[in-house]
Amino acid sequence: MPSGSPRPRHADTAPIHHNGYAAAGPSRGGLSYKWIALSNTTLGMLMATVNASIMLIALPDIFRGIGVNPLQPGNTTLLLWLIMGYLVVTAVLVVSFGRLGDMFGRVRMFNLGFALFAFFSVMLSVTWLHGTSAAWWLIGMRIMQGVGGAMLMANSSAILTDAFPSNERGMALGLNQVAAIAGSFIGLVLGGVLGPINWRYVFLVSVPFGVIGTVWSYLKLQERGIRRPAKLDWWGNVTFGAGLIAVLVGITYGIQPYGGHTMGWTSPSVMSLIGGGLAVLAIFCVIETRVAEPMFRLALFKIRPFTAGNLASLLAGLGRGGMMFILIIWLQGIYLPIHGYSFERTPLWAGIAMLPLTIGFLIAGPVSGYLSDRFGARPFATGGMVVAAASFGLLEMLPVNFVYWEFAGILLLNGIGMGLFASPNRAGIMNSLPPERRGVGAGMSATFQNSAMVLSIGIFFTLIILGLASSLPATLSHGLVAQGVPAADAAKLAALPPVSIMFAALLGYNPIQMLLGSAISKLPANHAAYLTGHTFFPSLISAPFHHGLDIAFDFAIVACLVAAVASLLRGGRYVHDERGTGSPAEDSTVDAITADAEVSSGDDLEAEVSVGDDLEGVQGGIGGVGDPAAANGDLAQRR
C-alpha cells in the first residue's frame, strides 16, 4: 500500500488495488460495500439538495410564523438571504472541504457533514425569537446548515468513485447526481405540504434522516481513497472564500432595487463587491500556481475531460438553475390563479405541477449513467443539452395561459434532457481524476455547479425584471385607475420595483391586497373583490411577464447549446485508473501531459490505453522522484 494511504476500517474485507484504493468487495453484513456507499451518499445528497429548495415554497408560512412581512421596505434583504445564503455558502466551501477530504479522509468529512446538518436543522426549528431577529437567526442557522451540506456535496462523488470500478461509475454517479437534482424539485412539494401544517416541520423533517445518515456512515463507510497529508493552503482558502463570497453577494444585492433604479447593478457597493471579488479571485489563481500544496488544483484543468465537463456543467447550471424560480412565478402568479386556485394554495400546487421535470430526471439519469459506462459520456451529455435547449424553445412557444398537458410534456422533455446530461457528465469528470485528487476535483466541480445556481438566479431575475420594467408600471397604473383606485395610490403602487411584484407572486400572497394595503378598503365592494380576485393581477402582468420570459428562455437556449459544444469537445471515453500502474505521485506528474495527448487525438479508450502503456516506460525511467521536465522530454521523444 502506498505511504500515506489509510488502512480500511474493515481491512479483511477490502482488498487493495495496485493504485492504492480498495476494491468494491463485500462488507461484513454480506452486502457489497459499493451499494452501501451508494445508498448512504445518495441519502446525503438528497437531504442536502431537498433543503436547498424546501424553503422556497414554505417561505410564506415561515414569515407568517415569525411575524415578518417580507414585502415591507428593508425586508427584501431578509427574503433574499433566506433563499440565497445556503446556496452561497455551499458554493464557496465545497472546494475546501474536498481538499480536506483528500488530506484527512473523505469519509471523515462526510460523517461530520451529516452530523452538522442534523444539528443545525434542529437549531433552525427551535428559535424562540420573533420578527426581524428571528429572520436573522434563521439566516445564520441556514448558513451553518450549508456548511454541513458543503461537506456532503464535496465528498460524496469521491467516495463513490473510490467504491465503484470504472465500468460501473456512470451508473453509480448517475443515481447520486439524479438524486441531487431531483431533490431540488422534491423539496418544492415537501415544503408546500409541511409549511401550512407548521413552519418548523420544514426544518425538522431533515433531522431523522441526518441522524440515521450520521450513524450509518460512521458504522459502514470505509476510507478507501488515497489520503495525502499536507499543509493547509491558508492563503488560497482565504482569497478563494473572500473573492467568491464578494461576487455572489454582489449578485444577490444586484437583484434588489437601488435608488430610483429597478435593480442594483449600478450601485457602487454592488460594483465594488463584484469587481473586488473578481480581483481577489485573480490573486487566488496566482497564489495557487506558487504554493507547494494548493487547495485548487489548476493543473487539473489540463485534463480535457475534466475541463470540458466542468464548463458544460457550469453552462447547464446557468440554463437550469434560475429557471426553477421563473417557472414557479409563472405558475403561482399567473397560471394557477387564472384557473381558480387561491393565492394561498398556489405554492403547493406549483410544486406538484413541476413534478414531470423530476420524473424526467429519474427516468433518464440512471439509464444514461449506465450506458455511459459502456459508450462514454460524450454522446449522452451532448445529446442531453441539445434536448434541453429544444425544450426551452418549446416553452418559449407556449402562451402564458397554456394547456397543462403541453406544459407537463415539455417539462418531462426538459427533465429527460438534463438527466441525460447530468449523470454521464459527472461520471466523465470523476473518471478523469487521479485517485488522490478526487476529493478536491469533486469539490471544484461542485463549486461550478453551485455557483451557476446563484449566477443563474441573478441572470434570470434580471432578465425577467427588465421585461417587466419596460411596460408593467403603465399597465398597472392604468388597470388600477380603471377600477376606481385613486390616481395617487395607483401611481404609488406602479412605482414599486418590479422585484416586489415578483416576490409577491413567488410567496403566494394576494399581490394587490398586500401591496395596496388599507387603500383597498376605500373602494366599492365589487371593485375591491375584482382587484383581489383570481384574474385581475394575472391578466395584468401576463403580457409584460411573457416578454421577460422570452428573453430568459433565449438565454437558456444559448447556454445549453454552448454546453453541448463544450461536452462534444471532451474527447472519447477517458478513465484515469486504466492508464497504468505507476504510483500516485508519478500519475500526478504526467497526468496533464498524458490526458491532453490522449484526448486531443479524439480516439476512444483503446487508443488511450495504448498511450497509457507507453507512459509506463516513462514512469519507470523517472522513478519515484521523477522530474516533470524530464518526463516531458522523454514523452516527446517517444512520440
Side-chain angles (χ1 to χ4, degrees):
M1 186 183 300
S3 60
S5 62
R7 182 176 299 276
R9 187 174 292 150
H10 304 310
D12 57 327
T13 61
I16 305 299
H17 282 167
H18 66 268
N19 57 5
Y21 62 94
S27 185
R28 270 186 184 172
L31 181 64
S32 177
Y33 171 73
K34 62 187 180 183
W35 302 116
I36 293 174
L38 176 61
S39 53
N40 187 270
T41 55
T42 299
L43 174 64
M45 289 298 293
L46 187 65
M47 187 177 71
T49 54
V50 163
N51 275 270
S53 64
I54 194 171
M55 278 184 50
L56 189 59
I57 297 296
L59 277 171
D61 300 296
I62 293 171
F63 278 116
R64 277 193 291 268
I66 62 176
V68 171
N69 180 358
L71 299 181
Q72 285 183 346
N75 285 351
T76 307
T77 299
L78 302 176
L79 173 62
L80 277 175
W81 276 110
L82 269 175
I83 296 173
M84 305 284 276
Y86 183 90
L87 300 174
V88 169
V89 75
T90 53
V92 169
L93 292 179
V94 282
V95 175
S96 297
F97 289 145
R99 176 70 178 131
L100 290 173
D102 285 341
M103 293 167 57
F104 302 112
R106 293 157 192 164
V107 170
R108 181 178 298 176
M109 298 300 297
F110 189 81
N111 291 348
L112 182 58
F114 252 132
L116 285 176
F117 205 98
F119 175 75
F120 286 108
S121 295
V122 174
M123 298 303 290
L124 277 161
S125 65
V126 299
T127 178
W128 61 94
L129 301 169
H130 196 72
T132 303
S133 299
W136 283 113
W137 169 270
L138 293 179
I139 290 169
M141 294 301 101
R142 265 298 263 185
I143 288 173
M144 295 307 298
Q145 189 186 50
V147 173
M151 290 180 174
L152 296 172
M153 294 178 187
N155 292 283
S156 63
S157 294
I159 290 171
L160 279 181
T161 307
D162 291 337
F164 277 81
S166 62
N167 64 337
E168 296 180 3
R169 283 180 194 151
M171 178 272 298
L173 290 166
L175 289 170
N176 189 260
Q177 183 75 357
V178 167
I181 297 174
S184 62
F185 296 100
I186 294 171
L188 299 178
V189 178
L190 202 57
V193 171
L194 296 176
I197 300 173
N198 190 309
W199 68 269
R200 299 176 191 270
Y201 293 166
V202 173
F203 305 115
L204 280 174
V205 69
S206 299
V207 176
F209 298 103
V211 172
I212 291 169
T214 302
V215 175
W216 188 14
S217 63
Y218 178 78
L219 294 177
K220 292 295 185 179
L221 289 186
Q222 304 164 11
E223 294 286 5
R224 294 191 166 191
I226 294 175
R227 195 169 70 194
R228 297 188 63 181
K231 291 183 178 179
L232 280 175
D233 175 17
W234 289 108
W235 282 111
N237 278 275
V238 170
T239 52
F240 179 77
L244 190 57
I245 286 173
V247 170
L248 297 181
V249 169
I251 291 170
T252 302
Y253 281 105
I255 301 171
Q256 299 187 58
Y258 165 69
H261 303 279
T262 56
M263 287 176 290
W265 296 114
T266 57
S267 165
S269 59
V270 169
M271 296 174 67
S272 298
L273 282 168
I274 295 177
L278 292 174
V280 173
L281 288 175
I283 295 171
F284 160 76
C285 291
V286 174
I287 291 172
E288 296 305 274
T289 62
R290 300 191 178 187
V291 297
E293 291 289 342
M295 64 161 283
F296 206 96
R297 290 275 169 179
L298 297 178
L300 293 178
F301 289 111
K302 294 181 180 179
I303 306 173
R304 189 193 287 187
F306 180 79
T307 302
N310 279 307
L311 178 59
S313 179
L314 175 68
L315 290 164
L318 287 177
R320 180 188 68 244
M323 189 54 60
M324 179 173 68
F325 288 83
I326 303 307
L327 292 177
I328 289 172
I329 293 171
W330 188 359
L331 289 166
Q332 292 185 194
I334 300 174
Y335 179 81
L336 290 171
I338 287 177
H339 288 264
Y341 291 84
S342 67
F343 286 102
E344 291 77 16
R345 294 169 60 207
T346 57
L348 172 60
W349 285 100
I352 294 172
M354 290 180 65
L355 281 177
L357 193 59
T358 304
I359 294 169
F361 275 116
L362 296 177
I363 292 172
V367 174
S368 64
Y370 173 78
L371 292 175
S372 72
D373 288 330
R374 296 187 58 191
F375 304 107
R378 179 165 55 180
F380 303 100
T382 304
M385 282 293 94
V386 173
V387 171
S391 70
F392 285 125
L394 292 173
L395 281 172
E396 188 170 350
M397 295 170 63
L398 283 179
V400 173
N401 186 16
F402 48 79
V403 178
Y404 177 72
W405 69 264
E406 295 176 349
F407 179 77
I410 297 172
L411 285 191
L412 179 68
L413 183 65
N414 185 273
I416 289 172
M418 291 295 181
L420 283 172
F421 167 80
S423 304
N425 190 66
R426 177 52 64 94
I429 290 171
M430 295 305 299
N431 276 335
S432 72
L433 292 168
E436 74 279 8
R437 305 296 182 208
R438 285 174 183 158
V440 69
M444 291 162 70
S445 181
T447 291
F448 284 110
Q449 189 168 316
N450 294 350
S451 298
M453 183 71 173
V454 179
L455 288 169
S456 182
I457 291 171
I459 291 169
F460 277 98
F461 269 45
T462 298
L463 294 175
I464 291 291
I465 290 169
L466 287 174
L468 289 173
S470 61
S471 56
L472 180 61
T475 305
L476 186 59
S477 177
H478 182 269
L480 291 171
V481 170
Q483 294 300 317
V485 176
D489 290 330
K492 182 179 179 181
L493 183 56
L496 287 175
V499 69
S500 298
I501 308 293
M502 285 183 62
F503 284 151
L506 178 66
L507 292 170
Y509 293 129
N510 188 317
I512 299 299
Q513 187 172 9
M514 287 290 297
L515 296 173
L516 270 179
S518 59
I520 200 77
S521 61
K522 302 174 184 177
L523 300 176
N526 60 331
H527 285 227
Y530 177 68
L531 287 174
T532 58
H534 295 166
T535 58
F536 175 75
F537 178 76
S539 301
L540 195 68
I541 70 167
S542 59
F545 185 77
H546 193 265
H547 177 61
L549 270 181
D550 289 343
I551 301 172
F553 286 139
D554 286 340
F555 173 82
I557 291 169
V558 172
C560 289
L561 291 177
V562 177
V565 173
S567 180
L568 188 64
L569 296 176
R570 74 176 68 237
R573 186 172 184 268
Y574 175 80
V575 180
H576 186 278
D577 303 348
E578 297 174 8
R579 282 223 330 274
T581 58
S583 72
E586 292 162 346
D587 277 347
S588 299
T589 302
V590 297
D591 184 69
I593 308 164
T594 60
D596 186 61
E598 292 168 329
V599 179
S600 62
S601 67
D603 293 335
D604 285 329
L605 183 60
E606 290 80 4
E608 293 168 358
V609 172
S610 68
V611 178
D613 293 338
D614 289 342
L615 283 167
E616 293 180 23
V618 178
Q619 292 170 339
I622 62 177
V625 293
D627 175 30
N632 284 333
D634 285 347
L635 183 57
Q637 291 175 7
R638 294 179 66 85
R639 285 176 179 163

